[in-house]
Amino acid sequence: MLTYNELIELREKLINNEISIEQAKELYGNDLKEGKRSWHTKDWKNRKAEIIKDKCEICSSTEVLTLQHLSHPKKFADYLLEVKRTYAKNQINSNPEIEISVFRKYALEKYDYLPIPLCPNCRNKNPSERVRKMPKYRCTDCKCEFDEPVYIEVNELISLFYKNVDAIEVQDKCFVSKKWRNQHNLSSVKYWFLRENATEINAEKIEKEAFLLYLNDNIKYLSFEDTITTCKKCASSYDLFNMELCPKCKTNYKSIEFKTCFDCLPEEQQKFVLASREFAKQMRDINKRLDID
Ligand SMILES: [Zn+2]
Ligand SMILES: [Zn+2]
Ligand SMILES: [Zn+2]
């Protein structure tokens, strides 16, 4: 595990192209693998000791203080996905022309075409299939009866899509992904074509951008920027993600339920809070003694 300063150095080198993304990831080590986070290094402990305040930022108590993070770094894989989506979006917005033969090849390589049955007379979709009666099919629209429905040939469908992406015939999800077994229409086949293209062409850039975001996040985490010193009691009795800086003193934290921190409350209200806390404690003690806790 790299120290805080080593991480900042690594980020600088990567930004200035002094090292490649591959080298950066290697230097970073195994921690990229999900779930493996060994923050508790000596460097971390030393820096934490400097940052932790001498009283709870919620109730001002000085008993058993801990440092709590108010935000946590995301996984590298999450950043990767985010950046890939951005690149795909830009590619799609640029509306590039795809040669029809290239698109057809892609669609047939990655998907199975499951054509929609049509009435041979009026080309209405999905004629009703009959179990006993012959002929087997009956069109719900023109009432025509027949043995075999007709299908749009895949090349014809793709040609239709190229003429008009909004045509009714091309809206059906009749392409089944060979890899994921889910169904797509031609618009979403095109989306994935462009997305795969964009991520292939920009693979290195995407990797680097995602890794830099990930590094930023981890550096911020290790900087203890988004942390709060609390006593053990406050750490367990408040949802720490609902804490914010007190608007009055701008030093202590407070729960979003309250207007200010404890220190900034008028004396009367402080007394009230203390009294109700004491009352709650007494009740707990009584319940414990009576064993109805
Ligand atoms: Zn406290
Ligand atoms: Zn019909
Ligand atoms: Zn305050």
Side-chain angles (χ1 to χ4, degrees):
M1 182 73 204
L2 298 179
T3 63
Y4 176 63
N5 287 325
E6 284 168 342
L7 274 182
I8 292 176
E9 212 177 293
L10 179 71
R11 178 174 64 183
E12 281 313 299
K13 280 184 181 164
L14 186 59
I15 290 173
N16 298 328
N17 294 316
E18 286 166 41
I19 50 172
S20 69
I21 173 68
E22 283 315 313
Q23 288 170 311
K25 280 165 84 178
E26 211 173 298
L27 284 168
Y28 188 83
N30 285 325
D31 299 292
L32 271 182
K33 283 180 194 131
E34 278 172 37
K36 194 166 178 268
R37 285 208 178 110
S38 41
W39 303 118
H40 299 235
T41 57
K42 205 172 158 227
D43 169 61
W44 188 85
K45 281 186 185 136
N46 290 342
R47 291 186 27 265
K48 180 185 160 182
E50 277 173 36
I51 296 247
I52 196 162
K53 303 208 167 82
D54 53 10
K55 60 169 192 174
C56 170
E57 290 183 71
I58 299 169
C59 74
S60 300
S61 157
T62 53
E63 268 173 64
V64 206
L65 298 172
T66 62
L67 197 63
Q68 305 282 337
H69 284 268
L70 297 178
S71 61
H72 291 272
K74 277 195 271 186
K75 285 186 215 133
F76 176 60
D78 292 340
Y79 277 122
L80 207 54
L81 195 64
E82 216 171 83
V83 178
K84 273 184 187 175
R85 282 203 186 117
T86 312
Y87 270 82
K89 211 169 136 197
N90 291 342
Q91 170 85 323
I92 287 153
N93 288 344
S94 76
N95 201 18
E97 229 172 274
I98 315 166
E99 242 184 82
I100 191 164
S101 60
V102 176
F103 182 66
R104 190 189 299 130
K105 189 168 168 258
Y106 172 83
L108 295 177
E109 228 171 65
K110 305 271 178 164
Y111 298 86
D112 290 318
Y113 176 52
L114 280 183
I116 306 287
L118 304 174
C119 162
N121 186 40
C122 72
R123 299 211 124 200
N124 189 40
K125 278 176 196 170
N126 295 313
S128 53
E129 208 178 318
R130 308 187 291 190
V131 186
R132 284 190 196 88
K133 268 193 188 167
M134 290 306 239
K136 202 175 164 191
Y137 294 94
R138 182 171 184 271
C139 175
T140 48
D141 205 33
C142 74
K143 318 290 180 212
C144 163
E145 298 181 341
F146 49 93
D147 288 320
E148 286 294 334
V150 292
Y151 301 98
I152 301 184
E153 211 236 322
V154 66
N155 287 338
E156 191 192 337
L157 194 73
I158 292 172
S159 298
L160 280 170
F161 178 67
Y162 263 69
K163 273 179 210 136
N164 178 11
V165 291
D166 299 317
I168 192 107
E169 294 91 337
V170 300
Q171 304 306 316
D172 296 301
K173 294 181 176 177
C174 48
F175 289 85
V176 181
S177 160
K178 287 181 184 171
K179 192 170 174 188
W180 309 105
R181 301 315 299 169
N182 50 358
Q183 291 177 298
H184 299 258
N185 61 18
L186 279 172
S187 288
S188 91
V189 171
K190 187 180 167 191
Y191 169 83
W192 284 103
F193 174 83
L194 290 174
R195 179 161 162 175
E196 280 171 30
N197 249 347
T199 49
E200 249 167 57
I201 297 164
N202 302 295
E204 212 179 303
K205 267 198 215 159
I206 290 171
E207 190 94 356
K208 186 172 169 176
E209 269 177 45
F211 192 62
L212 279 172
L213 289 170
Y214 177 75
L215 274 181
N216 285 344
D217 218 5
N218 281 290
I219 288 166
K220 187 184 157 207
Y221 188 82
L222 289 175
S223 77
F224 298 107
E225 185 189 305
D226 211 8
T227 56
I228 167 173
T229 301
T230 69
C231 68
K232 249 193 167 152
K233 228 198 235 159
C234 285
S236 62
S237 56
Y238 289 102
D239 176 5
L240 291 171
F241 293 101
N242 286 324
M243 303 300 292
E244 59 190 10
L245 216 51
C246 165
K248 202 162 174 194
C249 63
K250 297 196 169 63
T251 322
N252 294 339
Y253 280 80
K254 64 166 195 70
S255 167
I256 50 173
E257 293 165 48
F258 304 124
K259 283 210 175 78
T260 69
C261 72
F262 180 78
D263 286 1
C264 292
L265 284 178
E267 208 178 317
E268 277 308 299
Q269 284 184 41
Q270 279 189 350
K271 273 184 198 156
F272 177 76
V273 170
L274 285 178
S276 56
R277 242 187 237 167
E278 186 55 30
F279 176 70
K281 187 176 173 285
Q282 280 173 13
M283 284 305 289
R284 274 200 303 275
D285 289 347
I286 289 168
N287 286 348
K288 227 176 237 161
R289 249 177 281 144
L290 295 174
D291 209 20
I292 50 174
D293 196 15

